[in-house]
């Protein structure tokens, strides 16, 4: 990516794979407070980070889940969104649970338990909707 437009396009391609309505949802929630918030997040996070070569999308999403788990319970809403994205990127529920559980070593049991609870809640929501 050499310019904002190409990074934004790359970010939008990734968001389309993971969660097509995401940019609109972010715009609705935050653009009034921070103009262009949604576009900036898509361009920077997805277009400049997730679109980099070297790791596939599933691995990047598992890394994201690990990081959010270690950060603790205050990240539960973002963790649930990213667990859903990780499923869309091709990870199994078992892989997601194992990534969260591995973080007990680095973030402690409370952080891992909070992560497991977020996964359990999301899986229940998905099963109920199926």
């Amino acid at each position: 990516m050499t310019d904002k437009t190409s990074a934004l396009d790359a970010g939008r391609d990734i968001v389309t794979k993971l969660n097509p309505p995401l940019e609109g949802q972010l715009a609705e929630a935050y653009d009034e407070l921070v103009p262009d918030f949604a576009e900036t997040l898509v361009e920077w996070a997805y277009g400049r980070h997730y679109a980099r070569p070297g790791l596939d999308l599933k691995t990047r999403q598992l890394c994201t889940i690990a990081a959010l788990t270690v950060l603790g319970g205050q990240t539960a809403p973002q963790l649930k969104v990213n667990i859903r994205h990780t499923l869309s990127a091709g990870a199994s529920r078992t892989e997601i649970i194992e990534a969260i559980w591995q973080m007990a070593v680095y973030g402690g049991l409370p952080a891992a338990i909070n992560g497991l609870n977020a996964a359990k809640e999301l899986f229940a929501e998905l099963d109920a909707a199926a």
Side-chain angles (χ1 to χ4, degrees):
M1 298 323 114
T2 58
D3 63 31
K4 181 179 176 186
T5 302
S6 63
L8 181 58
D9 290 341
R12 284 180 171 149
D13 287 345
I14 291 171
V15 167
T16 297
K17 291 175 189 168
L18 298 177
N19 184 354
L22 181 64
E23 187 174 358
Q25 292 168 338
L26 291 169
E28 186 177 318
Y30 302 109
D31 277 7
E32 183 178 332
L33 299 171
V34 180
D36 299 321
F37 174 90
E39 185 177 284
T40 299
L41 186 142
V42 170
E43 183 268 328
W44 186 73
Y46 293 97
R48 297 199 180 272
H49 293 271
Y50 281 71
R52 291 175 54 83
L55 286 177
D56 60 64
L57 189 55
K58 178 177 134 180
T59 303
R60 286 190 189 279
Q61 278 300 143
L62 287 167
C63 291
T64 301
I65 286 173
L68 289 168
T69 297
V70 168
L71 286 170
Q74 76 275 9
T75 67
Q78 293 82 12
L79 185 55
K80 287 173 74 174
V81 166
N82 278 281
I83 290 169
R84 184 184 297 264
H85 291 178
T86 305
L87 290 167
S88 295
S92 69
R93 290 182 181 198
T94 299
E95 289 172 313
I96 290 166
I97 293 301
E98 288 300 323
I100 292 169
W101 182 238
Q102 181 69 23
M103 294 306 102
V105 176
Y106 301 98
L109 282 171
I113 290 167
N114 287 334
L116 292 171
N117 286 336
K120 189 175 175 179
E121 289 171 17
L122 178 67
F123 295 159
E125 291 169 20
L126 294 173
D127 291 344

